[in-house]
Amino acid sequence: MDRTQKLQSIRPTIASAKIMPNMSEDERFQNETLRPILKLQNDLLLASFQNYIKKMKNSFYELKIEKRIDYIAKSIQKDIKFRNSLKGMIIGQFTAEEYDIYIKNSSALNKRMMNMVVKRIQDQIQYFEKYDLVQKRFAI
């Protein structure tokens, strides 16, 4: 098995990621490539954001839920080093063919990719609640 086959074989199937004939190339790339990779990398993305919170002195945990949601978006939008790290976690899972598609429209695909990452982390905000409780309980 070559690299392309190995990468594609470990990606989860997303039944809701429909491919329609009238889709734009970016939308097709999102559904065929980005969504499965984000699902595959979910635990790593969450752990990475958890580490980001820790590096920022846990200020995330001092915020109300609405502000935490904003914090996630702003952290990924404004912290270029962190955003590039997240992009690397995703781009590193591309096949060579997918990378060729990506570089043709990287700006729009990066925006799409980061919006998806923000939404994915926001939708799983309860993941970070358990760490907040552990920190308070054990005064970490």
Side-chain angles (χ1 to χ4, degrees):
M1 231 198 274
D2 69 0
R3 182 178 186 275
T4 295
Q5 292 170 318
K6 287 178 184 174
L7 284 172
Q8 291 175 334
S9 74
I10 63 171
R11 291 182 189 166
T13 302
I14 302 175
S16 63
K18 304 285 186 230
I19 305 301
M20 305 297 204
N22 60 342
M23 278 184 164
S24 70
E25 191 172 325
D26 288 355
E27 194 173 1
R28 181 179 301 274
F29 188 82
Q30 172 182 302
N31 287 341
E32 286 181 339
T33 303
L34 295 178
R35 289 182 69 194
I37 290 173
L38 288 173
K39 188 170 185 176
L40 175 70
Q41 296 291 76
N42 188 64
D43 291 346
L44 183 59
L45 295 170
L46 292 173
S48 179
F49 192 73
Q50 180 62 47
N51 184 57
Y52 182 85
I53 291 169
K54 190 187 255 183
K55 281 185 174 180
M56 297 296 135
K57 309 287 189 249
N58 296 318
S59 61
F60 176 84
Y61 295 116
E62 297 165 11
L63 304 172
K64 301 270 187 237
I65 188 76
E66 302 82 23
K67 295 288 185 185
R68 287 182 184 189
I69 289 169
D70 289 342
Y71 183 99
I72 292 167
K74 287 180 180 157
S75 298
I76 294 170
Q77 291 165 357
K78 297 193 184 298
D79 190 325
I80 294 166
K81 188 175 174 183
F82 180 56
R83 185 173 68 232
N84 286 340
S85 174
L86 295 171
K87 279 194 286 190
M89 292 174 198
I90 298 161
I91 294 168
Q93 294 294 319
F94 288 177
T95 66
E97 296 81 13
E98 290 166 341
Y99 185 73
D100 286 341
I101 294 167
Y102 166 77
I103 58 175
K104 288 178 189 168
N105 197 12
S106 62
S107 183
L109 290 172
N110 281 337
K111 184 174 183 169
R112 198 176 277 260
M113 186 188 324
M114 289 301 103
N115 286 339
M116 293 169 71
V117 169
V118 167
K119 180 85 169 101
R120 179 167 278 277
I121 293 173
Q122 288 172 335
D123 287 350
Q124 298 177 82
I125 200 163
Q126 72 280 1
Y127 172 89
F128 306 103
E129 300 300 318
K130 66 182 177 187
Y131 286 97
D132 188 24
L133 294 173
V134 168
Q135 286 182 336
K136 288 177 181 170
R137 186 170 180 201
F138 296 106
I140 296 174

